[in-house]
Amino acid sequence: LFCIDFEDLSYGSEIINGREVEPHSLPYMALLVSNKPHCGGILIDPNWVLTAAHCESIETVLLGVHSIKKGKKEKMYRQVRKVKKSVSHNKYNKKTEVHDLMLLKLDEPVKETEWVKVHQLSSVVKDPVAGSVCLVAGWGATNKTKIKIMSDVLMSAKVTVINRKKCNSAEHYDNDPYITMEMICAGPDGKKSDADTCLGDSGGPIFCNNVLVGVTSFGGSKTEPCGSVKRPGVYTFLSKVHLNWIKNTMNTSEAE
């Protein structure tokens, strides 16, 4: 996953200690491109992709991608769309990381195929309990010492949800930034695995019990890179507030 330092934070988490997914088994995954592969996203409507607000200047959305390099080989699977409009959450704050969500409106609807499918959002998302094992996915970095090198293929990993109070403690983020009820903290379990998201994974999904519960936001630091038990990944939780914002934004834009 991708990590981009912002002061002491790493954006976009890479997938550390994950595994390559079966090609096209996550057909809602979007690869977002500015002048280079940049972030991940989730196709939630034929016209809309959900991602993180800090994934700035996205110009192009690639769907049906497994291997970034094998564009010619994957031509029959892929659909490419330009971004017609990007809408960041109106209360997104770069310093506190709150409401790190953005919707991208595509220039034309995606055609659903075996390789490209819409992931329908749940009307209500339960807050995952601490200890839950959840799945993250992305093309972000896979080597914590080479965080600027993205994975060529789509990767996934299992991460463990951490209680927000614990995540805010001195052993983790120490309230800097403060992990709110609108965020999910999840990362290495400190025992069997150091699986985590990293640079390039920003905007991608986190699934708990096969339900999309959040979007990859940030994690790690300059001294504690991806895969650190001390700085687990943090995800924007698809709370009722956020689900309403997504629904209202899409409805308002469609009516324009």
Side-chain angles (χ1 to χ4, degrees), residues 140-248:
T142 58
N143 187 326
K144 63 181 81 175
T145 63
K146 298 177 181 178
I147 63 170
K148 291 185 179 179
I149 301 176
M150 288 183 70
S151 171
D152 172 49
V153 296
L154 183 60
M155 303 284 286
S156 69
K158 291 179 179 178
V159 293
T160 303
V161 175
I162 300 165
N163 175 285
R164 291 183 180 91
K165 186 175 180 181
K166 183 179 179 183
C167 201
N168 276 317
S169 69
E171 65 179 300
H172 291 300
Y173 280 99
D174 200 17
N175 295 318
D176 185 23
Y178 179 69
I179 309 304
T180 72
M181 293 298 290
E182 302 287 331
M183 300 175 182
I184 297 168
C185 190
D189 60 13
K191 299 169 187 173
K192 298 176 183 176
S193 170
D194 63 350
D196 196 8
T197 48
C198 197
L199 190 63
D201 287 326
S202 287
I206 177 169
F207 288 93
C208 300
N209 295 319
N210 297 315
V211 175
L212 179 65
V213 299
V215 171
T216 304
S217 181
F218 67 91
S221 68
K222 290 176 181 176
T223 56
E224 297 286 347
C226 315
S228 164
V229 174
K230 291 185 179 179
R231 293 288 189 274
V234 179
Y235 304 81
T236 303
F237 175 43
L238 295 181
S239 62
K240 186 176 180 181
V241 168
H242 286 148
L243 289 170
N244 284 340
W245 173 79
I246 291 167
K247 184 179 177 181
N248 292 338

Side-chain angles (χ1 to χ4, degrees), residues 2-234:
F2 293 105
C3 296
I4 299 170
D5 286 333
F6 178 77
E7 294 180 350
D8 208 29
L9 297 176
S10 293
Y11 271 136
S13 302
E14 79 262 29
I15 293 209
I16 299 294
N17 273 7
R19 62 179 182 83
E20 180 179 351
V21 306
E22 182 182 339
H24 311 293
S25 60
L26 304 178
Y28 44 77
M29 284 294 299
L31 179 63
L32 310 185
V33 180
S34 50
N35 58 351
K36 60 183 178 180
H38 186 63
C39 279
I42 309 113
L43 184 70
I44 59 168
D45 178 274
N47 292 292
W48 293 92
V49 167
L50 177 65
T51 186
H54 74 263
C55 293
E56 299 172 334
S57 306
I58 302 299
E59 299 168 359
T60 307
V61 174
L62 277 64
L63 297 138
V65 177
H66 179 67
S67 165
I68 295 174
K69 294 176 183 174
K70 294 182 179 176
K72 287 184 180 178
K73 202 171 184 180
E74 293 187 359
K75 192 174 181 181
M76 65 178 287
Y77 310 122
R78 294 189 182 188
Q79 294 182 50
V80 181
R81 297 289 184 272
K82 291 295 181 184
V83 175
K84 183 178 180 180
K85 181 181 183 181
S86 58
V87 186
S88 295
H89 194 287
N90 55 312
K91 292 184 179 177
Y92 168 57
N93 185 305
K94 274 190 177 182
K95 289 190 176 180
T96 62
E97 309 299 336
V98 295
H99 309 297
D100 188 9
L101 289 178
M102 179 166 64
L103 282 164
L104 303 176
K105 187 173 186 181
L106 308 180
D107 62 343
E108 62 177 284
V110 167
K111 181 183 178 183
E112 288 199 74
T113 66
E114 185 181 339
W115 309 285
V116 177
K117 284 186 169 66
V118 169
H119 182 84
Q120 297 289 346
L121 290 180
S122 301
S123 55
V124 178
V125 175
K126 283 182 67 176
D127 192 3
V129 298
S132 299
V133 177
C134 302
L135 186 79
V136 293
W139 288 271
T142 58
N143 187 326
K144 63 181 81 175
T145 63
K146 298 177 181 178
I147 63 170
K148 291 185 179 179
I149 301 176
M150 288 183 70
S151 171
D152 172 49
V153 296
L154 183 60
M155 303 284 286
S156 69
K158 291 179 179 178
V159 293
T160 303
V161 175
I162 300 165
N163 175 285
R164 291 183 180 91
K165 186 175 180 181
K166 183 179 179 183
C167 201
N168 276 317
S169 69
E171 65 179 300
H172 291 300
Y173 280 99
D174 200 17
N175 295 318
D176 185 23
Y178 179 69
I179 309 304
T180 72
M181 293 298 290
E182 302 287 331
M183 300 175 182
I184 297 168
C185 190
D189 60 13
K191 299 169 187 173
K192 298 176 183 176
S193 170
D194 63 350
D196 196 8
T197 48
C198 197
L199 190 63
D201 287 326
S202 287
I206 177 169
F207 288 93
C208 300
N209 295 319
N210 297 315
V211 175
L212 179 65
V213 299
V215 171
T216 304
S217 181
F218 67 91
S221 68
K222 290 176 181 176
T223 56
E224 297 286 347
C226 315
S228 164
V229 174
K230 291 185 179 179
R231 293 288 189 274
V234 179

